[in-house]
Amino acid sequence: MTTTSTFSFTHRPLVPFAHDYLHGDSEPWHQHDCAQLLHSLSGVVRVDTAAGCWVVPPGRGVWLPAGTRHALRITGSVAARTLFIDPLARADLPASCQIVQISPLLRELIVTSLALPEPYAPGSREERIYELILDEIRAMPILPFHLPETTSAPLRHLCEHISQAPGENWSSQQAATLINMSERTLNRHFQQQTGLSYGEWVRRARLMEALLRLAQGQPVLRVALDLGYGSHSAFTAMFRRVMGVSPSEYFKEA
């Protein structure tokens, strides 16, 4: 059963909300009648939707359009700062789920909005803050932390195996043999169903698992070896290539 939350935008275009989660917390499947920007100041949030799963690293955010059915799973202590936004507040708000970079300006605006009174006068500071938040939302860079859901039963079966043992050597040949499919067919179907090559899907699955484990405080070397990397340096090189910084730097600056 999916519950639907409703919000009033009579006096303002968005409703800010702060909530802190403990490690292991979760929220069951639900949806909102408005758009949602969930920003995590710390910890990692996994968001499951019908289109796949989305991992929100610390300091980043997830955009959910109005009516998106989703569930949350919390890793680490998460300080969530959320904006519930009138879908009619802007004509060009994002139309699909996405993990986004939260700029320092937007982060401070979100925190500031929590203390603003609900009604405000036209031309006031409060109105300018709300309008600037909406402007910043339209400019949020998209990050590659989405793991698309496959649609066919054989590929779903394969993805479950990969998720349960992400550190194994999941070559396309091994994967194709597991589901009695040729490598060529495997790669073609993966591209058609997810928009990613098989190899890129596996790399994303490992990166997202790494983010969850690092958020729990697991040592980088342990995470690297558990996920099939031969050394600390090999894992760090992959992480730096995708994220722009090393694992320790990434979590320090979040």
Side-chain angles (χ1 to χ4, degrees), residues 155 176 179-193:
L155 292 192
I179 57 176
N180 298 315
M181 187 180 289
S182 71
E183 287 186 67
R184 184 176 179 180
T185 300
L186 169 72
N187 287 312
R188 185 177 71 252
H189 285 184
F190 243 94
Q191 188 71 46
Q192 291 172 342
Q193 295 181 29

Side-chain angles (χ1 to χ4, degrees), residues 45-200:
V45 181
R46 172 175 167 143
V47 182
D48 289 300
T49 75
C53 71
W54 313 75
V55 171
V56 189
R60 282 68 183 177
V62 60
W63 175 265
L64 300 167
T68 302
R69 183 172 174 267
H70 60 283
L72 307 180
R73 281 190 273 174
I74 305 301
T75 301
S77 296
V78 169
R81 304 296 179 261
T82 300
L83 299 177
F84 297 102
I85 301 161
D86 183 351
L88 302 178
R90 287 285 194 277
D92 55 352
L93 291 173
S96 60
C97 297
Q98 47 197 238
I99 301 298
V100 293
Q101 183 71 47
I102 302 295
S103 68
L105 174 58
L106 181 54
R107 180 175 62 246
E108 294 306 317
L109 288 169
I110 292 172
V111 173
T112 299
S113 70
L114 291 166
L116 296 181
E118 183 171 344
Y120 60 86
S124 64
R125 170 180 177 270
E126 289 80 7
E127 181 183 54
R128 291 192 295 272
I129 289 174
Y130 285 129
E131 292 302 314
L132 186 52
I133 288 174
L134 295 172
D135 288 341
E136 286 296 299
I137 285 174
R138 294 156 64 199
M140 296 182 300
I142 302 173
L143 301 175
F145 300 133
H146 172 216
L147 198 61
E149 186 72 49
T150 52
T151 56
S152 67
L155 292 192
R156 284 201 303 271
H157 177 69
L158 171 62
C159 292
E160 288 173 2
H161 273 76
I162 295 173
S163 297
Q164 291 168 6
E168 289 190 14
N169 178 26
W170 287 105
S171 66
S172 57
Q173 180 180 12
Q174 178 182 345
T177 300
L178 178 65
I179 57 176
N180 298 315
M181 187 180 289
S182 71
E183 287 186 67
R184 184 176 179 180
T185 300
L186 169 72
N187 287 312
R188 185 177 71 252
H189 285 184
F190 243 94
Q191 188 71 46
Q192 291 172 342
Q193 295 181 29
T194 69
L196 301 174
S197 68
Y198 168 74
E200 177 59 25

